[in-house]
Amino acid sequence: MSDCIFCKIVNGEFNTEFIYEDDTVAVFKDINPKMPVHLLVVPKKHIESLNFLEDEKLSGTLLQTVRKVCKKLGITDYKTLINTGKGAGQEVFHIHLHILAGGNFNL
Ligand code: AMP
Ligand code: ZN
């Protein structure tokens, strides 16, 4: 999707610093953090929302990426959030998982 901000970010168009990246996902800081740690786990493939996520392998990869990134950063206590649909607060229509944590991490 050419006008999707998260497609542009995961394709490296903005030189965003990735906390983690592999062939299928990228993890970067939320631009407007709601907690001291606020990261977004974003698949490289454009999928509008959880309502359109039919790929079971990718579903697992997204959740395992949360686990891996938190382990790497030493974060043991965190919230994971997926907003689905405008009425639930989804603002960017490229699926993403929020990782939210307190504490003082040097990211
Ligand atoms: P949601 O409400 O679940 O769609 O979340 C969208 C999130 O993306 C919000 O927390 C925004 O602060 C964040 N966001 C929007 N644009 C950017 C950007 N360019 N870089 C990083 N985070 C962004
Ligand atoms: Zn996209």
Side-chain angles (χ1 to χ4, degrees):
M1 281 264 293
S2 55
D3 59 346
C4 170
I5 183 89
F6 282 4
C7 278
K8 288 180 181 163
I9 289 175
V10 296
N11 288 326
E13 287 184 38
F14 296 127
N15 280 331
T16 306
E17 181 203 349
F18 293 146
I19 304 290
Y20 174 85
E21 183 188 16
D22 63 25
D23 288 348
T24 45
V25 297
V27 180
F28 53 88
K29 291 185 210 170
D30 195 292
I31 204 169
N32 181 21
K34 313 277 189 305
M35 283 182 72
V37 174
H38 190 169
L39 304 176
L40 301 173
V41 176
V42 183
K44 292 193 171 174
K45 183 176 177 193
H46 182 88
I47 297 167
E48 199 175 304
S49 77
L50 186 55
N51 287 335
F52 298 90
L53 180 62
E54 294 176 350
D55 183 335
E56 291 191 5
K57 185 160 181 240
L58 181 58
S59 311
T61 300
L62 291 170
L63 208 52
Q64 286 301 316
T65 302
V66 173
R67 183 187 63 77
K68 276 194 250 178
V69 166
C70 287
K71 186 175 179 199
K72 178 178 146 192
L73 298 174
I75 301 171
T76 54
D77 299 34
Y78 53 90
K79 301 173 199 293
T80 306
L81 175 72
I82 305 173
N83 293 321
T84 305
K86 256 201 175 81
Q90 186 174 2
E91 291 170 4
V92 177
F93 285 81
H94 177 135
I95 190 171
H96 51 281
L97 284 69
H98 297 253
I99 299 173
L100 296 144
N104 192 7
F105 293 90
N106 207 3
L107 295 177

